[in-house]
Amino acid sequence: MGIFSVLVVRAFASLFCRKVAKDYSHPEVKKQQDEDKKMRLQGQNPDAAQDGDFMSEAKDWAGELISGQTGTGRILVCLVFILSISSLVIYFIDASSDGVETCIPWLENTTQQIDLAFNIFFMVYFFIRFIAASDKFWFMLELYSFVDYFTIPPSFVSIYLDRTWIGLRFLRALRLMTVPDILQYLNILKTSTSIRLAQLISIFISVWLTAAGIIHLLENSGDPPYFTNSQSLSYWNCVYFLMVTMSTVGYGDIACVTALGRGFQVLFLLVGLALFAGSIPEIIDIVKTFPKYNGTYLSDRGRRHIVVCGHITYESVSHFLKDFLHEDREDVDVEVVFLHRTPPGLELEGLIKRHFTTVTFFQGSIMNTVDLQRVKVHEADACLVLANKYCPDPDAEDAANIMRVISMKNYCEESRIIIQLMQYHNKAYLLNIPSWDWKQGDDVICLAELKLGFIAQSCLAPGFSTMMANLFAMRSGEPSDDMQAWQNDYIQGTGCEMYTETLSPTFTGMTFSQASELCFVKLKLLLLAVEVRPDDGGDTKISINPRGSKIPANTVGFFIAQSAEEVKRAWYYCKACHEDVKNENQIKKCKCKNFIGGMMVHSVLKSQQIGQHITTDGKPVQPNGVAATKSGLQPPPTAVAKTGSPVKKSVSMKEESAPEIVPENPRAPIRQDPMRNGHPVIVQPASDFDFEKTEMKYDSTGMFHWTPARSIDDCILDRNQAAMTVLNGHVVVCLFAHSDSPLIGLRNLVMPLRASNFHFHELKHVVIVGAVDYIKREWKTLQNLPKISVLNGSPLSRADLRAVNVNLCDMCVILSAKVPSNDDPTLADKEAILASLNIKAMTFGDIITNIESMGDSKDALNNMGDTTVKRPGPIYGTNVPMITELVNDSNVQFLDQDDDDDPDTELYLTQPFACGTAFAVSVLDSLMSTTYFNQNALTLIRSLITGGATPELEIILAEGAGLRGGYSTPDTLSHRDRCRVGQISLSDGPLATFGEGRKYQDLFVASLRNYGMLCIGLYRLRDAALTTVDATSKRYVITNPPFDFGLLPTDQVYVLLPFERKQSRFSFSETEV
């Protein structure tokens, strides 16, 4: 009837209600209509507005209401869906009973009453849709209009007849097809795959349930006109029957008996079979494509989490987790959330499952705001970006990682970011990010800078790169009876790591030397540096082995120890409670007022008493309470006072005169002139300030030596020129590179060797052997650094190596800038390995070289038996000091043909790495977790490795113009006063007596008190039976040996040397203490 009414109205209007059209063409009519509409919007032409203004407003209102464009519209659409499903549920309840028609009075039928209320709402919604329809005729033929035709009227008829007929109410199941639209309104479905999946499932289920309702109605009613051949089937049996039929299984336990039911079944098979065969496979394919790791991170209350992104592979994740979750770290209650655009492989998935309590993986892009929200970057304790160290294009890798940082900072400015970068020059782009703030914890680990910095320090102290790499990497360091003696010594040292802890009030007022001595002798800890806050309240700075200054309260110290638990002794130590404790493991937290008060005045006085006012038998003692002796520092059996009574523990200051102690040597040595006018005169030695201020010898920051820019042509040597040049005690850099190879940043190798805490005559000449076309691209960053020469040749040419006196060098560095091949990555180190083996196979006995005279050398370490003493070089290439950079860790097995390392041995356990002759960039992976747990640790490592890089220098280098020269001022010259790495021999010099069976503690204390040098490790011959340093042998690194470790005459000691402004040699004589 509805359709018929619409047709009649339209026919009547077309015949009798036509307006007289003006003689306008179609474009003119449209133009006129647009002008009329514009005038109506402006409130003009009211006569024209009367025709359709009310209907237009009603139509617009109804259209907005049902379209879901407004909040009210979304609520209405969702309400219609909910009520449709509720009406369908009522149908399920009624259809579960026998029969399709019952004679229950309407007032007693609760389900019918509820259904009537729903249908009244549906009728109102039908009229709203009718008003909003542009074409009323086609609206009457819509699917949902037919649903309303067959479901709304029966509810009203049942009131009149007092009979309940199920009828066609099952058509409400077709409303399930609107589920995708509803979910999009609610912003639940956001991707095309999820929307398509929802559409397929909703169409399949709605057709299935609707067809089941038809079978239920036809089979329970029977065939007309008598309806006598019906069968009793529940609705759910019909649902089961249709699924069996659509799937072509056909069990036969249920079948249609009516003609209408069978006829419908035949027609439905054509549709249902096609629907089943088409929808189910597509649904399965979409489900397979759905990311398995596409959820949202749910953080536990009170538990921190970090987000790790970038280069996520099994190797990078396993190395990261091994260090991050190491047992030596104290209470690592941090969950690691990995975010990567591709799902994990089987190996990585297995690794994640093994750490399921602390590791979670999500698939997504760090560039997508939705994915950042899923992993809760705004709540993360830090975000770590890993770089692909083996990528063919380092600049592209850095650019991608910097974009990840920009994305995270754009999402949450307060996020703490720690990023790995390949190239040093790309650090400048991070400074362009407005929210990048070093002071808030943002940090960058530049692999090229640190890698070459480690190698540069090995040029000054062979093996130092191995020691530092082991310090910031978490390793167990458990010796074994199955290992050789040298391996056990090395393994024990690898268990040492760098930790920070606040010094107890006992240390307040001490000098660094006194505190370091107390920590080593009493607490069995190595205090390396302290965090210093300037008097002006500026940013804190890390001072390594400082001289002269006193330690203020609440100072943070940097320690080398086996675990974080050991370092707590520095915070627990109390003079009043622990002075007599012999076992360092018994130093626990005490409850005396000195420890609790912390910063009380009497604690300060007490620490001064420890440093200056303790006597034993009338002799000056060390801060640890052990008396000093002439031959060294051997502790007496029992410390007693001069009167014979035991020393009293007193918290207050003693009223006695302070005994004389050994000076800390905070300034240049002084000399005493003969008597002048009857009085001795103390005169400071001549300073080099006047010389320095006349020319620009240092860069503008005063941290590095500087020279005016030189052309590379002025520094290029040919083979003959190199052979005629006096080269001895220099550094040879064997560089493999093509003209278009990625830049590795040679500046990072040379700058640490040009630090201003070296005097100019101490700088080692650097000779680069390689393709000059490549070096020209690097030269812009090297042109302002002095003492650099270039030999255009091949590192594999023995003639070129002999020309640069490789046998007389202090270190031969083998580097490669070539891109690893994707076909076989293990061949990435072929040139470096060949060069190493080539040098080892060379002999130099028949070659006459120019040797610099020892008398002309003013090396500050000559009298200390330093290894840089100018002497004839070795005869065999196996004795040439060498360090080889490797890309692939497994290739370390090819460097030494006489080692017995298993091919699967970890890099740090191999003989070349233990000896300091091999270095791989993979050892820097541990710096990510080290930086997260302690940001100052990276600052300490960087300042020690790079020779003194500062944020000011970073800004200057970011300009791309290289180092700038600066005039020497007292402020810039003061920057030279910082320690540097050195290596002292025990075979001769003033420390030679300690190599004669003395203990490491004696050497540590004497070096610290007499020379201000901080000993941090040993470099020992692998074959302890050898007694001469010239013998063919290899050395290995021992990090922070135990206090009772025996010394050998052939040992070499790693020390942190203070800067001496005086350019003359040290006058080392063992001071009596």
Side-chain angles (χ1 to χ4, degrees), residues 309-543:
C309 61
H311 182 62
I312 306 299
T313 62
Y314 172 76
E315 289 76 14
S316 63
V317 171
S318 59
H319 291 160
F320 174 80
L321 292 179
K322 183 177 181 180
D323 192 82
F324 190 88
L325 303 177
H326 197 274
E327 58 184 3
D328 284 353
R329 297 199 188 276
E330 181 186 9
D331 300 330
V332 184
D333 189 21
V334 181
E335 188 166 2
V336 183
V337 179
F338 290 96
L339 180 64
H340 195 51
R341 64 182 182 276
T342 59
L346 295 178
E347 284 184 315
L348 180 55
E349 190 173 27
L351 178 64
I352 294 171
K353 290 179 180 179
R354 290 194 295 272
H355 297 88
F356 70 96
T357 58
T358 54
V359 177
T360 308
F361 187 95
F362 291 98
Q363 185 177 351
S365 173
I366 206 71
M367 305 299 296
N368 191 338
T369 304
V370 176
D371 293 331
L372 293 176
Q373 189 173 4
R374 286 172 48 217
V375 298
K376 291 183 170 53
V377 168
H378 55 285
E379 298 179 6
D381 203 37
C383 300
L384 280 60
V385 185
L386 303 180
N388 181 8
K389 299 180 292 296
Y390 314 111
C391 62
D393 190 348
D395 286 317
E397 177 72 10
D398 286 349
N401 286 334
I402 293 174
M403 285 301 301
R404 294 184 176 102
V405 174
I406 294 174
S407 175
M408 288 184 284
K409 284 293 188 180
N410 186 56
Y411 175 74
C412 180
E413 294 183 356
E414 293 79 16
S415 296
R416 179 190 176 194
I417 309 294
I418 303 174
I419 178 178
Q420 278 185 342
L421 288 182
M422 298 292 296
Q423 301 286 15
Y424 180 80
H425 58 267
N426 290 325
K427 293 174 65 175
Y429 300 116
L430 292 172
L431 302 178
N432 299 332
I433 304 175
S435 54
W436 181 268
D437 191 355
W438 306 86
K439 300 177 183 179
Q440 298 300 322
D442 295 336
D443 221 327
V444 54
I445 299 173
C446 181
L447 299 178
E449 174 191 24
L450 295 174
K451 174 188 67 177
L452 295 177
F454 274 87
I455 295 175
Q457 296 301 329
S458 288
C459 297
L460 303 172
F464 188 76
S465 60
T466 295
M467 173 182 289
M468 289 304 298
N470 289 334
L471 281 180
F472 61 75
M474 285 291 176
R475 288 159 184 157
S476 299
E478 293 295 335
S480 173
D481 296 336
D482 299 333
M483 297 181 180
Q484 301 179 32
W486 76 269
Q487 290 176 319
N488 281 328
D489 293 340
Y490 169 72
I491 291 296
Q492 187 172 5
T494 62
C496 294
E497 290 92 23
M498 195 176 297
Y499 299 94
T500 58
E501 184 58 80
T502 303
L503 298 177
S504 72
T506 300
F507 293 90
T508 305
M510 291 185 183
T511 63
F512 178 84
S513 296
Q514 293 170 342
S516 181
E517 184 178 338
L518 173 60
C519 287
F520 187 81
V521 178
K522 188 74 175 179
L523 309 181
K524 302 301 182 288
L525 301 174
L526 176 55
L527 178 61
L528 198 66
V530 291
E531 191 177 68
V532 179
R533 184 174 295 277
D535 297 334
D536 56 3
D539 298 331
T540 58
K541 297 181 180 179
I542 297 175
S543 184

Side-chain angles (χ1 to χ4, degrees), residues 118-130 152:
F118 290 164
N119 283 308
I120 292 175
F121 176 82
F122 293 145
M123 184 172 61
V124 174
Y125 186 66
F126 173 83
F127 285 116
I128 295 175
R129 290 167 48 224
F130 180 80
I152 296 177

Side-chain angles (χ1 to χ4, degrees), residues 873-923:
I875 297 177
Y876 300 103
T878 53
N879 286 343
V880 174
M882 193 183 318
I883 182 169
T884 306
E885 182 219 353
L886 297 177
V887 175
N888 196 316
D889 293 359
S890 62
N891 289 332
V892 71
Q893 60 182 313
F894 304 118
L895 286 179
D896 279 331
Q897 301 299 313
D898 58 342
D899 65 5
D900 53 356
D901 293 328
D902 189 275
D904 297 329
T905 305
E906 291 187 69
L907 176 65
Y908 83 97
L909 295 175
T910 61
Q911 178 178 292
F913 188 81
C915 297
T917 58
F919 189 83
V921 71
S922 62
V923 303

Side-chain angles (χ1 to χ4, degrees), residues 173-174 176-177 201-214 242 246 264 268 271-272 275:
L174 296 175
L176 291 173
M177 289 190 290
I201 294 176
S202 61
I203 292 174
F204 181 80
I205 293 177
S206 60
V207 172
W208 178 22
L209 297 180
T210 302
I214 296 175
L242 280 183
M246 284 192 298
F264 173 78
F268 179 75
V271 178
L275 181 66

Side-chain angles (χ1 to χ4, degrees), residues 985-998 1048-1049:
S985 175
L986 298 184
S987 60
D988 54 8
L991 300 180
T993 57
F994 293 95
E996 300 173 355
R998 300 284 290 277
L1048 298 176

Side-chain angles (χ1 to χ4, degrees), residues 552-569:
N554 296 325
T555 297
V556 176
F558 292 79
F559 297 89
I560 295 177
Q562 292 284 342
S563 67
E565 190 65 27
E566 292 183 1
V567 180
K568 288 184 178 180
R569 300 171 195 159

Side-chain angles (χ1 to χ4, degrees), residues 562-694:
Q562 292 284 342
S563 67
E565 190 65 27
E566 292 183 1
V567 180
K568 288 184 178 180
R569 300 171 195 159
W571 170 241
Y572 292 154
Y573 181 73
C574 172
K575 166 67 167 51
C577 302
H578 301 135
E579 181 180 13
D580 296 334
V581 175
K582 301 300 182 184
N583 187 353
E584 66 277 2
N585 295 321
Q586 296 178 359
I587 299 178
K588 303 292 183 182
K589 185 176 181 180
C590 64
K591 298 182 180 180
C592 70
K593 61 180 180 179
N594 295 319
F595 183 82
I596 297 175
M599 296 184 64
M600 298 173 62
V601 175
H602 66 271
S603 297
V604 178
L605 298 178
K606 177 172 65 65
S607 62
Q608 294 175 349
Q609 170 190 347
I610 296 173
Q612 301 180 5
H613 297 271
I614 300 177
T615 60
T616 302
D617 290 333
K619 297 178 182 180
V621 298
Q622 309 164 49
N624 57 14
V626 180
T629 62
K630 180 177 180 179
S631 59
L633 294 170
Q634 299 291 343
T638 305
V640 294
K642 195 171 185 178
T643 59
S645 60
V647 177
K648 297 181 180 180
K649 299 183 212 175
S650 176
V651 177
S652 61
M653 173 75 78
K654 287 186 178 181
E655 297 295 336
E656 60 184 7
S657 60
E660 182 182 359
I661 64 172
V662 178
E664 292 295 327
N665 194 17
R667 57 186 64 86
I670 59 177
R671 62 184 177 87
Q672 186 171 350
D673 284 350
M675 302 293 288
R676 184 180 300 171
N677 296 330
H679 300 281
V681 180
I682 305 298
V683 182
Q684 292 285 346
S687 172
D688 57 352
F689 174 76
D690 293 338
F691 169 74
E692 298 293 350
K693 71 179 183 180
T694 56

